[in-house]
Structure formats: structure tokens, C-alpha cells
């Protein structure tokens, strides 16, 4: 069992006015709440977020240098972030990010003192094929640094075909996949792997969150669309707290 984390990924959405909604979110005892707004909003978000932690959506592998348009992990930290998402499937697709790059980004996050949320997950064709769990296991292995601990790393399993579609895997598929991830983490990282948090992401809503959180190795959620409105996100947080 890892830390209970309800994480919201705003993706390329969000206005300064939306930050007011952060003030209305509450984090019940034992549950951590995180919002990852677009980079330009991180500083303001961190100043008003109260019990809500703030994170970035990506960082560069390098600490500084000639990388126009990119953001170093230390800059996110300076702006008030404590987490950073790396290897989201939208970045893997839009920016051709490889497992090796994502591993290097996670290492950059550690060096800056950030917790890395490392995303993995299969395409629909992979889900329908015979090697789905092997493909996810290879992503996990390739994207996770040797220095990962329960403190500096969270794993997010996000099936690509479930993101923004309203479709979710069956509970049995979620259980099978998260159990496999837990086994791999425990084999590689021993005690640290038993308590590293594993989030499920992909069309998590108030209506399905409680059922997803019944899975033993689901420690929380990485939520896209439903994290944009406090009225949708708070019930998901509360379902996690009650699980
Ligand atoms: P949705 O919750 O909108 O499906 O997005 C999931 C996601 O990609 C979170 O990172």
C-alpha cells in the first residue's frame, strides 16, 4: 500500500480564475491532493493552494541549457511544485519521448527534490493483443530509474484508450495490471516497491472512482477532465479517503 494520492492533471487547460477553485478543495486526513496546472500557473497556484500540493506536467532531462521552450525540474521546484508528471502518453505521442528519456526526466526530478509521477500504459491494440502485461512491464522497467523510492516516485498506470474517452478497463483488468506492477516494483525495489504508490488514470469520474479504489493495489488516481472542476474532483478525493 502506497500513499493515497488524488492527482489532477489539467493538461493544457486552466486560467488564473480557475485557481480560485483550488481553495475550495479539501484533503481529508491520510489523503494527499495534487493539482498539476500548466507551467505558467504553477507559481500562482502554489501561493493559494492551501492543503493542495502543486506539480508540473513535464520537465527536461537537463538542469539548464539551450533548450528553448523547455522547463528544468529545479525551475518547477522554485515555482512551488513538489511533484512532476513524466512520460504521460500525450507527451510520448506528441514529442516522441522514449522510456530512456522518461527515466532521465525522473532522475532530473529527483535531483531537484521533486517526486516523479511516471506514467505507463498500453494502446488499445496492445490491450487486445496477447502481450499487454509484458508491454506495460517493459515500459515500467525502462522508464523507472534505479534510484526510485516510495518517497521520490509514484507510478501512474494510464491505458491510452481510456484517456478522455469515458471508457475504463474492467475492474478485473485494473486489478490484474496493478498487481503485476506491484510485483515488478517489489522484485526490483524490495521494501520500497511494496509502498510505492500506484495510481490508476483514464476516465476516472465521481461515478466510478469508489469501485476503482476497491482494488488493493490502486493507491489513488491521476485524473484529467474531472480534475478541472472542484465539484467533480472533490467526490473523487472523498472516495479515495473512504477506501
Ligand atoms: P481523463 O481523466 O480526462 O481521462 O485523463 C486522464 C489523464 O490523462 C490524466 O493524466
Amino acid at each position: 500500500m502506497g500513499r493515497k494520492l488524488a492527482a489532477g492533471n489539467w493538461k493544457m487547460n486552466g486560467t488564473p480564475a480557475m485557481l480560485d477553485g483550488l481553495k475550495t478543495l479539501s484533503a481529508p486526513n491520510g489523503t494527499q491532493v495534487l493539482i498539476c496546472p500548466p507551467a505558467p500557473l504553477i507559481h500562482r497556484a502554489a501561493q493559494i493552494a492551501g492543503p493542495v500540493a502543486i506539480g508540473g506536467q513535464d520537465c527536461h532531462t537537463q538542469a539548464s541549457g539551450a533548450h528553448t521552450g523547455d522547463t528544468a525540474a529545479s525551475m518547477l521546484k522554485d515555482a512551488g511544485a513538489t511533484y512532476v508528471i513524466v512520460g504521460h502518453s500525450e507527451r510520448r505521442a506528441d514529442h516522441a519521448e522514449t522510456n530512456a528519456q522518461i527515466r532521465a526526466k525522473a532522475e532530473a526530478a529527483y535531483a531537484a527534490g521533486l517526486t516523479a509521477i511516471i506514467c505507463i500504459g498500453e494502446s488499445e491494440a496492445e490491450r487486445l493483443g496477447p502481450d499487454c502485461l509484458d508491454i506495460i512491464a517493459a515500459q515500467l522497467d525502462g522508464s523507472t530509474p534505479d534510484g526510485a523510492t516510495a518517497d521520490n516516485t509514484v507510478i501512474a498506470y494510464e491505458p491510452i484508450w481510456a484517456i478522455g474517452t469515458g471508457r475504463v478497463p474492467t475492474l478485473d483488468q485494473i486489478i490484474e495490471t496493478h498487481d503485476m506492477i506491484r510485483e515488478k516494483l517489489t522484485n526490483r525495489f524490495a521494501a520500497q516497491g511494496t509502498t510505492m504508490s500506484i495510481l490508476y488514470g483514464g476516465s476516472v469520474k465521481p461515478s466510478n472512482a469508489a469501485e476503482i479504489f476497491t482494488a488493493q493495489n490502486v493507491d489513488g488516481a491521476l485524473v484529467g477532465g474531472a480534475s478541472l472542476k472542484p465539484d467533480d474532483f472533490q467526490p473523487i478525493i472523498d472516495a479515495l479517503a473512504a477506501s
Side-chain angles (χ1 to χ4, degrees):
M1 189 77 197
R3 79 184 87 176
K4 280 189 179 183
L5 177 64
N9 174 11
W10 280 9
K11 310 190 178 185
M12 201 170 70
N13 302 292
T15 60
M18 275 173 61
L19 297 178
D20 285 337
L22 298 180
K23 291 182 208 158
T24 69
L25 290 173
S26 66
N29 267 349
T31 305
Q32 291 185 23
V33 180
L34 167 70
I35 290 285
C36 300
L41 293 179
I42 288 174
H43 184 61
R44 264 178 290 190
Q47 286 174 321
I48 65 166
V52 178
I54 298 298
Q57 298 176 9
D58 175 57
C59 66
H60 198 272
T61 58
Q62 302 296 310
S64 64
H67 303 289
T68 302
D70 280 311
T71 305
S74 63
M75 297 170 182
L76 298 174
K77 175 88 173 173
D78 287 344
T82 51
Y83 286 81
V84 61
I85 298 168
V86 296
H88 192 281
S89 61
E90 287 151 16
R91 292 209 56 92
R92 289 179 187 257
D94 291 355
H95 301 272
E97 292 188 5
T98 64
N99 289 333
Q101 282 172 316
I102 291 155
R103 181 190 280 235
K105 287 180 179 212
E107 284 170 342
Y110 302 162
L114 296 175
T115 297
I117 301 178
I118 300 172
C119 301
I120 54 176
E122 81 284 2
S123 67
E124 181 152 36
E126 289 166 342
R127 171 49 71 181
L128 296 173
D131 306 322
C132 182
L133 289 182
D134 290 342
I135 290 165
I136 298 165
Q139 281 184 335
L140 177 69
D141 198 43
S143 305
T144 309
D146 289 336
T149 67
D151 199 39
N152 66 19
T153 302
V154 171
I155 304 298
Y157 166 58
E158 297 206 305
I160 298 166
W161 53 274
I163 293 175
T165 61
R167 298 165 59 207
V168 291
T170 65
L171 184 60
D172 283 346
Q173 287 172 325
I174 293 176
I175 291 171
E176 180 185 43
T177 308
H178 279 245
D179 286 356
M180 178 279 289
I181 293 169
R182 174 68 68 214
E183 188 186 339
K184 296 280 174 199
L185 292 175
T186 302
N187 287 344
R188 185 168 166 201
F189 298 108
Q192 292 296 319
T194 64
T195 52
M196 204 175 284
S197 196
I198 308 172
L199 311 183
Y200 169 78
S203 294
V204 177
K205 310 281 179 214
S207 57
N208 60 21
E211 186 190 12
I212 292 168
F213 295 144
T214 62
Q216 190 193 351
N217 283 313
V218 172
D219 300 307
L222 182 55
V223 183
S227 73
L228 294 170
K229 292 192 193 134
D231 286 352
D232 291 334
F233 196 39
Q234 189 65 51
I236 295 171
I237 298 166
D238 294 341
L240 180 62
S243 70

